Amino acid sequence: MDTLSIVSFLGFTLLVAFIAWYATSKTDENSADGYYLAGRSLGPITIAGSLLLTNLSAEQIVGLNGQSFAQGVLVMAWETLAAISMIVTAIYLLPKYMRSGITTIPEFVQERFDAQTKSILSILFLVAFGGVLLPTILYSGSLAFSTMFDLPETLGISQSAVIWVCVWSIGIIGSIYAIFGGLKAVAVSDLVNAIGLLIGGLLIPVFGLMLIGDGSVSDGISELWLENPDKFNAKGEIDSFIPFSTIFTGMMIAQMYYWGTNQSILQRVFGAKSLADGQKGMILAGFVKFLIPIIVVLPGIIAWHVFGNDLANADQAYPALVKKVLPGVFLGFFAAVLFGAVLSSFNSLLNSSSTLFGVDLYRQFFNKNASERKMVKAGKIFGLLLALISMSIAPYIANAPDGLFSYIQESLGSLSVPILAVVAVGMATKNVPALSAKIVLTVGVLMYLISQFVLSPHFIDAALTEAAANGITDVKQLGIIKAKAYPHFLHIMGILFVINVGFMLIMGKLNTNKNVYTPKITEEIDITPWKYAKVVGIAITILVLSTYLIF
């Protein structure tokens, strides 16, 4: 990057930091509500921006565009269907969560079941956040940043050294936001970065289409559509990344877990001024999420048209397109936006980890009589330790075998199925006992892991060995054989979800909970629902479904 790019990068990054500091200067960060829930002061636009930036990271931008480069528009399901799960969460789940005035999802589980169930759930979240997601976000973001902007050449140091520099830079700045600024600092910085990401992210497909259409975006769209019809088929075949049938099984399970029960997501909404504000923020984010494929899917298809098979790796598609089409004057700004996206995912997870420890575990296991000030301090110390551990682990992910990230994403499915099952049954029933929830949160995780890392490799290897013995060498045919050998992991998620829910309901019949659950009503905020939530939600759902009619 040249001097102008560096100045614009630093300028935008410092602007975000100043706005976050100013917005939090009057918030009491020593109280639990002030630190963990931004003093319950977040408005709809801030909530929407924070939700989008918590979800959208460099790994997702680069990874989804890499998948669309390889298989086309079918991967948009991860984004468009998310909008439907966000609508369901806003209309049906948020009223149940927010009327009880909770800070964390495990708090809801404690109210419905018991403290031990809450502890199991909190630990599962912390293992996922600290042991897997935080180091992965740091490494993948640093790798994307380094590749996209040629940092080894710019800084005159090796690739591994650049990764260390990026990891610790992102980690330290993210820790300052998350640990010392609390949720409000995270949410406000997310909002500013979200605006920047939407602007910067839209520049890439616009300039890419102009390149294809000799300066005309409309001509670029026409040529892209006519020359690459196979890339615009949204119905994935059995051997694709997302077979069409998975949309009706595990896809919606994964989406509902992420948007309806994930602490790092819902904590932003719990900080709303009112239930109506929380619903507006999530529904607005759902509408923008419907449009996000323009940023995380379309550039990959443009890159396919521009580069074809010239790229050695599909994940190079987005960085290569950025280098080719983005004018130098925008490079520093886009670098800052990308940096902010990585930073957002990191500090959001770190803030949620501090919240889970401070609210759910510290008082229960370490200091039952702790004041709010001590609880917040304990959460900050835990967050700092977790950040240091994550920053120390992240650079070594470079030594891991190929395909690690896909294995990580698949393994995280072990949490989504049992957690969603426990929350769903907990909401829908009043007499299912806590024992059933504890069994599902432990045995349910093991069932998924055994399925994906023991049974799946066994059956796939056996099928491919038989194919080799029969002299089958066609890549397409082998892909179909592999796909048929064992169900797709999203199908497995759907199957196990039904088993887990069924088990809990049977336990409820055989061992009825004597202490019938009675929801409490908070006086902290106004819990009157937004009167247009269902109408707007239905409209967005129709928009999402219409995309499958178009493609």
Side-chain angles (χ1 to χ4, degrees), residues 12 78 105 165 192 367 379 397 437 450 489 500 515:
F12 186 79
W78 286 114
I105 295 299
V165 170
V192 180
N367 188 349
I397 294 179
I450 291 172
F489 80 92
N500 287 336
N515 300 317

Side-chain angles (χ1 to χ4, degrees), residues 1-316:
M1 292 188 289
D2 57 22
T3 303
L4 180 61
S5 298
I6 294 173
V7 170
S8 61
F9 169 78
L10 293 175
F12 186 79
T13 302
L14 291 174
L15 174 65
V16 173
F18 174 78
I19 293 173
W21 169 80
Y22 182 79
T24 56
S25 59
K26 296 181 181 179
T27 302
D28 181 8
E29 299 294 338
N30 290 315
S31 69
D33 272 4
Y35 183 72
Y36 295 127
L37 294 180
R40 298 187 189 273
S41 63
L42 302 182
I45 295 177
T46 303
I47 291 170
S50 187
L51 287 173
L52 291 169
L53 258 289
T54 298
N55 169 247
L56 199 59
S57 67
E59 179 184 4
Q60 186 172 5
I61 296 171
V62 173
L64 269 179
N65 275 302
Q67 288 195 336
S68 68
F69 175 88
Q71 296 205 349
V73 76
L74 65 89
V75 300
M76 74 176 184
W78 286 114
E79 298 299 307
T80 54
L81 294 180
I84 296 178
S85 62
M86 293 166 81
I87 299 301
V88 173
T89 299
I91 295 174
Y92 296 105
L93 301 187
L94 281 188
K96 296 179 183 294
Y97 287 143
M98 297 185 72
R99 72 183 178 189
S100 62
I102 60 173
T103 302
T104 68
I105 295 299
E107 269 189 291
F108 170 80
V109 170
Q110 179 180 20
E111 289 180 10
R112 173 58 183 85
F113 296 106
D114 60 19
Q116 290 180 333
T117 309
K118 177 198 73 172
S119 298
I120 295 171
L121 182 57
S122 298
I123 292 169
L124 285 178
F125 274 132
L126 288 174
V127 168
F129 292 171
V132 179
L133 291 176
L134 284 169
T136 303
I137 286 169
L138 285 174
Y139 174 73
S140 60
S142 299
L143 183 62
F145 203 82
S146 171
T147 303
M148 197 174 294
F149 301 106
D150 289 326
L151 290 185
E153 183 178 344
T154 302
L155 300 177
I157 56 178
S158 67
Q159 172 74 3
S160 61
V162 166
I163 295 297
W164 276 96
V165 170
C166 288
V167 162
W168 282 83
S169 297
I170 296 169
I172 290 171
I173 296 173
S175 299
I176 292 171
Y177 276 118
I179 296 171
F180 300 106
L183 178 63
K184 191 165 186 179
V186 172
V188 171
S189 63
D190 284 351
L191 173 60
V192 180
N193 280 317
I195 295 171
L197 182 64
L198 290 176
I199 296 172
L202 288 171
L203 289 176
I204 306 305
V206 167
F207 283 123
L209 291 170
M210 289 174 66
L211 174 67
I212 296 174
D214 293 325
S216 170
V217 172
S218 59
D219 289 347
I221 293 174
S222 297
E223 183 173 343
L224 189 68
W225 180 279
L226 293 173
E227 294 294 325
N228 306 279
D230 57 318
K231 295 293 183 182
F232 290 96
N233 181 10
K235 296 179 181 179
E237 297 179 6
I238 189 173
D239 59 334
S240 66
F241 292 150
I242 306 175
F244 186 66
S245 57
T246 61
I247 292 175
F248 306 100
T249 56
M251 174 63 76
M252 288 310 298
I253 300 296
Q255 298 286 13
M256 284 307 305
Y257 157 76
Y258 186 83
W259 295 103
T261 66
N262 188 344
Q263 175 64 28
S264 66
I265 290 294
L266 289 172
Q267 190 171 335
R268 279 105 200 91
V269 191
F270 293 162
K273 298 175 184 177
S274 65
L275 171 58
D277 283 327
Q279 289 179 313
K280 290 175 187 176
M282 181 155 263
I283 290 173
L284 174 59
F287 175 70
V288 177
K289 192 71 174 169
F290 164 70
L291 302 174
I292 288 293
I294 297 173
I295 295 174
V296 299
V297 176
L298 181 58
I301 301 174
I302 294 172
W304 170 260
H305 183 90
V306 173
F307 302 111
N309 291 316
D310 293 341
L311 299 181
N313 189 323
D315 286 335
Q316 295 176 341

